[in-house]
Amino acid sequence: MAENRFYDYATGKEVKNNPEEAYRQLFEHILIDDLGYPKENIDIEVVLQRGSNRNAEEVDIVVYNSNIHKQENAYIIIEIETPKKKYDLQAPYCVWFGGFEKNSEGPFYHYRDLKKDPTNFILIPTLPRYGETQETIGQYRKQDLKPAKALKLLFSRMYYHLYGNGPIKREENIAVEVIKLLFCKIMDEISPDELCEFRATPTEVTSAGKKAIRKRIDSLYHKLLQDPDFGKMFKGESIEYDNDWVAYIVSELQGIALMHEETNTDALGDAYEILLPSTLKGDSGQFFTPREIVRFAMDVISPSYKDNEIILDTACGSGGFLSIAIEKLRQQINELYKNRGFSNDRLNGLLKDYADKYIYGCDIDPLLYRISKSYMAIVGDGKSNIYNFDSLEPYAKLDSNFRGRIKPRSVDIITTNPPFGTHIKDTRRSVLEQYELGHKLVNGIPQEELLDGQDPDKLFVERDIFYLKEATQSKDGGRMVIVLPKQNLSGAQEESVEFRKWLLNKVQIVAVVDLPREAFQPHTGTKTSLVFLKKVKQIPEEYPIFMAVSEAV
């Protein structure tokens, strides 16, 4: 096949590679992966009769109500362009779609009742999912909600619509408002009521209807503010979106079950990163670790459910490392009790209890704190152990609840990707004087002279080692995996050499895995490595270190 052609996602037909085709492929993924329509019900470049004048015209995508592709079975018609003309097609649902960009308009969804009012096209917030009808949208019992399969697509179209057309334009403010509504949905899903309060029915398109939706959401938000685990995150805040935009967000999220055990944690993590402002994806040195790398690191570090190991991430970001830790623990619980006949609720309860006692994370950024807390609530209910503070501050100044649970030399496992970069040195004297690495080193030994500034990733290494359990005569101490710039590990500069001498005096290095340069692109091309280390009773003078290079991610 020629390089400028490829195969259509829905039909397998050969198509040209151009911008309009890219938009069509994107919307086919929405139809199939997110909304659940079977590929066999979809066709492209279909010639249809337009209305009573019998003029035939080719349309970009047709979704039929079965696998029989007849015009009378047309259910959804999609035009890959912005609206230019009136609809005159025999289908109940019609869509204009011109791609997702921050300033794009649409997509525009329209519905008409072919029996009662076939000429009246009503603008609706979203399409029905496969198997739904206009009458059943929003009429959900908790058992009717489906596990989320394509959250990144859902979050993308929701976020870009909010950014391009909504009244709030600051990226971080949009993210905060979406997270508030996500928490309202979580509150609804965990409530014992059979019927969903987080819903928006097609009959509620009027001003009065949207007011009724808002009333239900305000009630859920009030419960959220009273919640002992979640409430303090939003204390003194209200939902900023008006009734129209609350109704839109609810309509997009209402049919999925965020808390469903089959909701994919990787997909959820990818979706959450859609909400992150661009300033958090590089300017502050916070580069989010690809899930493949996180999963590899967690396979090696291997947290143990049976050993009740405490797991900590001191720069948890959006919660990627902790979510995969929970995934690993869930697998162990399922395997351990597979012959006990435990219900899913019982197994989930065991995981929740573990997360509440043994899994912790903290991050300096308030938005990342909220994202991580909601993410952890969804994937494993480790909701009460995510903290919002600067991990590099003197330990005595950290959150008292955190200090009550995480003591120096008490942590079994640390998994983290701290901020790193060339322009983000920590110059605070009150911080630097707390750290050996805040001082000048000679042969790896700290001197009295305080540095003018230090890379935060190096300070994080020292702070994390401070938390790791000490070894005993019979057992090694705590262990850690951390993402570090490769320069720290192989650079010839004096500060890199001295850092390595210091590190080799503190811990035993188990392994160093160099990551590909593209691992954190497009946000940075900095070469990085995964460093695995542990505390031992006595560091040998010579010992083997496993070293490897990953050539692709």
Side-chain angles (χ1 to χ4, degrees):
M1 182 170 47
E3 287 186 9
N4 65 342
R5 301 181 72 85
F6 60 94
Y7 295 112
D8 177 68
Y9 181 60
T11 66
K13 294 177 181 178
E14 192 174 322
V15 292
K16 293 181 180 179
N17 187 3
N18 56 45
E20 182 177 332
E21 189 59 58
Y23 293 153
R24 174 158 62 187
Q25 297 306 307
L26 175 56
F27 204 82
E28 286 180 12
H29 277 278
I30 293 171
L31 290 167
I32 296 162
D33 300 337
D34 182 12
L35 300 179
Y37 288 93
K39 289 184 177 182
E40 57 266 27
N41 288 21
I42 299 173
D43 202 359
I44 62 172
E45 298 170 354
V46 180
V47 176
L48 294 179
Q49 174 191 323
R50 284 193 174 274
S52 58
N53 59 16
R54 298 193 176 277
N55 289 331
E57 185 169 333
E58 187 175 272
V59 296
D60 294 307
I61 308 173
V62 178
V63 181
Y64 298 92
N65 57 24
S66 73
N67 58 5
I68 300 173
H69 294 193
K70 293 183 178 180
Q71 179 155 333
E72 56 267 30
N73 290 343
Y75 187 59
I76 307 171
I77 289 173
I78 300 99
E79 296 278 18
I80 305 299
E81 58 183 327
T82 53
K84 295 179 180 177
K85 51 187 178 290
K86 290 184 177 180
Y87 290 113
D88 191 19
L89 296 165
Q90 298 301 312
Y93 293 97
C94 299
V95 180
W96 297 106
F97 177 67
F100 290 133
E101 296 172 4
K102 286 184 178 178
N103 297 312
S104 65
E105 295 186 1
F108 297 92
Y109 304 109
H110 294 86
Y111 168 75
R112 61 175 170 177
D113 189 325
L114 289 174
K115 293 180 179 179
K116 297 180 181 178
D117 196 0
T119 62
N120 182 25
F121 285 94
I122 303 168
L123 187 66
I124 57 175
T126 189
L127 291 173
R129 295 178 177 272
Y130 180 64
E132 290 183 337
T133 66
Q134 195 68 6
E135 291 72 31
T136 61
I137 294 174
Q139 304 289 350
Y140 300 118
R141 289 179 170 83
K142 302 287 173 63
Q143 64 190 36
D144 299 327
L145 300 177
K146 306 295 184 186
K149 298 296 186 182
L151 277 169
K152 191 170 185 178
L153 286 170
L154 172 57
F155 276 44
S156 291
R157 72 170 186 268
M158 185 171 67
Y159 182 77
Y160 287 134
H161 188 56
L162 291 168
Y163 189 98
N165 300 281
I168 298 175
K169 296 302 180 185
R170 286 179 61 87
E171 290 178 300
E172 56 267 40
N173 293 350
I174 294 172
V176 168
E177 294 308 310
V178 171
I179 291 167
K180 288 176 185 175
L181 272 294
L182 284 169
F183 269 113
C184 288
K185 177 149 180 61
I186 292 170
M187 296 302 296
D188 189 37
E189 288 189 25
I190 63 178
S191 79
D193 300 329
E194 181 184 2
L195 295 175
C196 296
E197 288 296 295
F198 192 96
R199 68 179 190 274
T201 65
T203 59
E204 295 175 310
V205 295
T206 63
S207 176
K210 291 174 181 176
K211 187 175 181 180
I213 296 170
R214 179 58 179 260
K215 185 177 180 180
R216 292 195 294 271
I217 297 305
D218 283 344
S219 176
L220 289 170
Y221 190 66
H222 178 72
K223 292 178 182 177
L224 170 64
L225 293 178
Q226 306 304 312
D227 186 85
D229 292 312
F230 299 142
K232 65 180 180 181
M233 282 192 296
F234 304 107
K235 187 176 181 180
E237 298 181 31
S238 59
I239 295 174
E240 296 299 323
Y241 276 122
D242 62 23
N243 294 355
D244 289 345
W245 289 100
V246 167
Y248 165 71
I249 296 170
V250 172
S251 69
E252 287 282 23
L253 295 172
Q254 63 180 343
I256 61 172
L258 288 173
M259 308 291 282
H260 197 286
E261 61 184 19
E262 293 179 22
T263 292
N264 184 287
T265 56
D266 284 1
L268 185 63
D270 289 343
Y272 262 80
E273 290 188 14
I274 295 292
L275 300 177
L276 297 174
S278 54
T279 52
L280 278 179
K281 296 176 182 176
D283 294 354
S284 57
Q286 301 185 55
F287 308 115
F288 299 95
T289 318
R291 291 303 188 280
E292 295 86 352
I293 294 172
V294 175
R295 186 165 278 110
F296 166 75
M298 206 59 65
D299 283 342
V300 174
I301 210 78
S302 190
S304 170
Y305 172 77
K306 289 193 291 185
D307 292 340
N308 291 333
E309 291 190 313
I310 295 175
I311 303 168
L312 170 65
D313 187 342
T314 52
C316 67
S318 57
F321 275 101
L322 297 179
S323 70
I324 301 302
I326 283 179
E327 177 187 298
K328 297 297 179 187
L329 293 163
R330 185 189 297 276
Q331 292 168 359
Q332 292 179 34
I333 291 169
N334 290 345
E335 179 65 23
L336 188 62
Y337 296 106
K338 65 181 180 181
N339 297 321
R340 293 280 189 93
F342 286 176
S343 67
N344 285 336
D345 285 346
R346 177 76 182 275
L347 294 171
N348 288 336
L350 291 171
L351 181 64
K352 176 186 179 299
D353 289 344
Y354 190 98
D356 284 346
K357 293 176 182 176
Y358 301 114
I359 295 181
Y360 298 83
C362 34
D363 201 277
I364 188 174
D365 187 86
L367 175 56
L368 289 176
Y369 158 68
R370 296 183 188 201
I371 286 177
S372 183
K373 203 165 177 72
S374 60
Y375 187 22
M376 293 296 289
I378 293 169
V379 302
D381 222 16
K383 57 183 181 292
S384 56
N385 301 330
I386 306 297
Y387 297 86
N388 181 206
F389 57 70
D390 180 354
S391 293
L392 297 181
E393 288 277 2
Y395 177 77
K397 292 186 176 180
L398 300 183
D399 184 288
S400 59
N401 291 323
F402 176 82
R403 287 186 286 113
R405 306 184 78 173
I406 298 294
K407 307 290 186 183
R409 297 172 290 281
S410 70
V411 176
D412 297 281
I413 294 174
I414 290 178
T415 61
T416 192
N417 176 9
F420 56 82
T422 56
H423 305 296
I424 55 169
K425 286 187 180 295
D426 199 319
T427 59
R428 296 172 294 173
R429 186 179 182 88
S430 62
V431 170
L432 294 171
E433 59 190 14
Q434 302 287 318
Y435 292 87
E436 292 186 0
L437 291 175
H439 295 74
K440 181 178 175 60
L441 300 179
V442 176
N443 205 28
I445 299 171
Q447 310 297 301
E448 288 189 13
E449 180 184 346
L450 203 64
L451 298 175
D452 293 332
Q454 180 59 285
D455 299 330
D457 52 273
K458 292 176 182 172
L459 298 179
F460 268 96
V461 170
E462 183 173 342
R463 174 48 54 93
D464 291 342
I465 291 173
F466 164 80
Y467 286 127
L468 288 179
K469 274 184 178 177
E470 297 294 346
T472 64
Q473 292 290 351
S474 59
K475 187 177 181 182
D476 288 341
R479 58 200 188 278
M480 178 165 81
V481 57
I482 186 169
V483 179
L484 290 175
K486 187 180 178 184
Q487 183 66 33
N488 289 345
L489 307 169
S490 59
Q493 294 93 334
E494 180 184 356
E495 59 266 30
S496 297
V497 173
E498 290 292 347
F499 168 72
R500 293 196 292 275
K501 289 180 178 178
W502 177 90
L503 184 62
L504 289 167
N505 283 328
K506 297 294 181 182
V507 292
Q508 182 171 332
I509 308 297
V510 177
V512 178
V513 180
D514 288 350
L515 300 175
R517 187 175 294 277
E518 67 270 19
F520 294 95
Q521 287 181 349
H523 310 301
T524 178
T526 301
K527 281 284 287 180
T528 55
S529 301
L530 281 177
V531 182
F532 297 85
L533 54 85
K534 63 181 178 180
K535 279 188 174 178
V536 294
K537 190 68 176 175
Q538 185 170 352
I539 301 170
E541 282 195 25
E542 293 185 5
Y543 59 89
I545 300 175
F546 176 83
M547 292 192 174
V549 176
S550 173
E551 295 181 350
V553 62

